[in-house]
Amino acid sequence: MNFDLTEEQEAILEAVREICEEELAPKADEIDACGKYPWDNIEMLARYDLSGIPFPEEYGGLGSDLLTWALVGVELAKACSTTGAVYGANILCMYPIYKFGTEEQKKKYLTPLCKGEVVGAFGLTEPNAGSDAGSGIATAVKDGDEYIVNGTKIFISNAGEAQTYVVTLKTEPGRGARGMSAFIIEKDTPGFTFGPQDDKLCFKALANKELIFQDCRIPEENLLGKLNRGFRVAMETLDVGRIGMSVGAIGLSKAAYEKALQYSKERVQFGQRIANFQAIQHKLADMATEIETADLLMRKAAWLHDQGKSFGLPAAMSKLFSSEVCHRATNQAVQIHGGYGLMCDYSVERFFRESKLFEIVEGTSEIQRNVIAGHILR
């Protein structure tokens, strides 16, 4: 594997770092505090052609690859974790449309997503179907040339703000995961509404709402992929999503590390800066080493995807390791800040809260270990 980035990747990252420093980082804490969805930042991504990085130009994308998308995502998450989360959630809608959609579906739905004209969302989780995704009970019943949708999905990122939703539904409920199909559903479809904004520990500005379907009629042509093959759509989407979660966790880890490093050089105790103490040096050394390792594992998973090789195992490993590294890194950043680390005036307090999301969302650490074990014992 060649670790050198291409000239194009270097140019994109240089521009993105400048954008992040000037436009995203200064207002990241304020976005979390006010809890307002960051539409200004999302529109900025569209303005700089960053919404559809890994998708072909014919659909409004940049025509690059998933690795480039991931590297950009790390910078976004490092500067503003909320914007990084929207960026990551968006691909969960875009990828399955690109991978499984018809040409008509790609032109109609993928193109505006790639151009950043709208954002997307992915609906899989239900009140009684979290880790056991195949046990969902929301249904789509065929009625002529339409499907009638009933049921709910919960914890859906971008919900209410997104225009396009990829949703998994039971088309043959008695067959479990083998009776699940995927559909594209537009926001303003009659019978499709949203619950209130979820009150969360973290990412308060990221839209998370329940999707509610009550006799919602969608056209037959909105079936995504083959009938009763929706579980495959979901699982392949989650493989990419695990790379996306790694991207967010690594970006947040890097932000925490840099804040801790800077503070250790400025904070004076016992007549010298605390960076001189071995206890602090060891914390920083562990953080730097683990973050570098997580970053390399994520890059390998994205690179394997771009080479058309199997990437499910390294994606799961990357998600597991990076999320737990993020928890340790943000925890140590708070510890290095001491009492100030508990204060909302210091970003590391927010980082610590946000780190927990990555160990739960899109497959808990426990589920990732199951996935990894399944691969290595197969």
Side-chain angles (χ1 to χ4, degrees):
M1 181 177 178
N2 184 357
F3 291 96
D4 292 331
L5 300 180
T6 65
E7 290 184 7
E8 180 185 16
Q9 288 172 326
E10 292 284 11
I12 291 172
L13 286 176
E14 182 179 355
V16 168
R17 291 187 184 110
E18 184 177 335
I19 294 166
C20 287
E21 182 178 349
E22 295 179 359
E23 301 190 41
L24 294 186
K27 55 185 179 181
D29 288 331
E30 179 187 349
I31 286 173
D32 179 72
C34 73
K36 184 178 179 181
Y37 191 77
W39 268 116
D40 288 348
N41 290 353
I42 306 310
E43 291 168 358
M44 180 211 71
L45 297 182
R47 193 162 64 249
Y48 291 112
D49 291 328
L50 298 176
S51 299
I53 289 174
F55 301 104
E57 294 180 11
E58 63 185 294
Y59 303 120
L62 197 61
S64 189
D65 53 23
L66 192 68
L67 177 57
T68 304
W69 175 87
L71 295 173
V72 168
V74 168
E75 297 299 328
L76 295 177
K78 177 182 167 185
C80 176
S81 50
T82 300
T83 303
V86 174
Y87 177 85
N90 212 26
I91 203 169
L92 294 176
C93 178
M94 301 166 77
Y95 179 81
I97 294 175
Y98 175 68
K99 181 70 182 292
F100 298 98
T102 64
E103 189 62 25
E104 291 73 18
Q105 288 172 337
K106 292 175 186 177
K107 289 179 179 177
K108 181 176 180 180
Y109 296 109
L110 183 59
T111 299
L113 286 163
C114 286
K115 291 182 177 179
E117 297 170 351
V118 299
V119 295
F122 177 65
L124 176 63
T125 303
E126 297 183 18
N128 294 310
S131 295
D132 184 12
S135 66
I137 60 174
T139 59
V141 178
K142 188 76 183 301
D143 183 37
D145 58 357
E146 295 180 318
Y147 282 91
I148 303 174
V149 180
N150 282 286
T152 62
K153 298 287 180 176
I154 61 169
F155 307 147
I156 307 304
S157 297
N158 286 347
E161 304 294 340
Q163 180 64 33
T164 305
Y165 297 77
V166 171
V167 182
T168 56
L169 301 160
K170 287 294 178 61
T171 39
E172 289 191 37
R175 297 185 63 200
R178 295 176 181 269
M180 178 184 290
S181 301
F183 294 87
I184 301 171
I185 305 180
E186 297 179 48
K187 178 180 180 179
D188 298 324
T189 305
F192 178 21
T193 57
F194 304 93
Q197 168 70 2
D198 293 333
D199 188 12
K200 310 185 295 293
L201 169 74
C202 55
F203 288 93
K204 294 181 179 294
L206 176 63
N208 285 96
K209 297 180 180 179
E210 181 180 23
L211 310 184
I212 303 170
F213 301 99
Q214 295 178 313
D215 294 329
C216 173
R217 288 182 171 269
I218 57 175
E220 182 179 12
E221 58 262 28
N222 280 30
L223 174 69
L224 182 61
K226 296 181 180 180
L227 185 67
N228 296 328
R229 296 298 297 275
F231 193 71
R232 179 193 171 196
V233 173
M235 293 303 102
E236 290 198 26
T237 298
L238 288 180
D239 279 343
V240 172
R242 285 166 184 148
I243 297 175
M245 293 301 291
S246 300
V247 164
I250 292 164
L252 189 63
S253 298
K254 288 187 174 185
Y257 166 73
E258 291 186 5
K259 289 286 187 183
L261 180 63
Q262 178 184 354
Y263 184 80
S264 74
K265 294 177 180 178
E266 297 171 352
R267 176 67 169 171
V268 174
Q269 290 289 276
F270 303 101
Q272 57 185 309
R273 61 181 192 169
I274 64 172
N276 292 344
F277 297 114
Q278 190 179 65
I280 301 300
Q281 293 173 358
H282 284 185
K283 292 181 189 297
L284 293 170
D286 287 344
M287 293 165 72
T289 301
E290 289 199 327
I291 292 169
E292 182 73 9
T293 305
D295 190 54
L296 289 171
L297 187 53
M298 179 275 292
R299 292 184 186 216
K300 178 182 179 181
W303 179 83
L304 286 169
H305 169 276
D306 293 335
Q307 300 303 309
K309 300 178 183 293
S310 175
F311 68 99
L313 175 57
M317 288 177 168
S318 177
K319 200 275 185 183
L320 171 64
F321 186 67
S322 63
S323 63
E324 296 192 349
V325 165
C326 186
H327 176 75
R328 290 192 290 271
T330 55
N331 180 46
Q332 293 290 28
V334 170
Q335 193 71 16
I336 289 171
H337 279 73
Y340 290 109
L342 304 177
M343 301 296 111
C344 294
D345 291 341
Y346 286 74
S347 298
V348 292
E349 176 271 339
R350 171 172 62 84
F351 297 163
F352 181 65
R353 286 187 287 108
E354 291 177 339
S355 71
K356 193 60 191 173
L357 173 135
F358 296 101
E359 294 180 292
I360 295 175
V361 173
E362 288 186 43
T364 63
S365 291
E366 292 76 13
I367 287 295
Q368 297 310 314
R369 287 181 167 89
N370 287 349
V371 171
I372 294 165
H375 276 282
I376 63 180
L377 292 172
R378 186 173 300 162

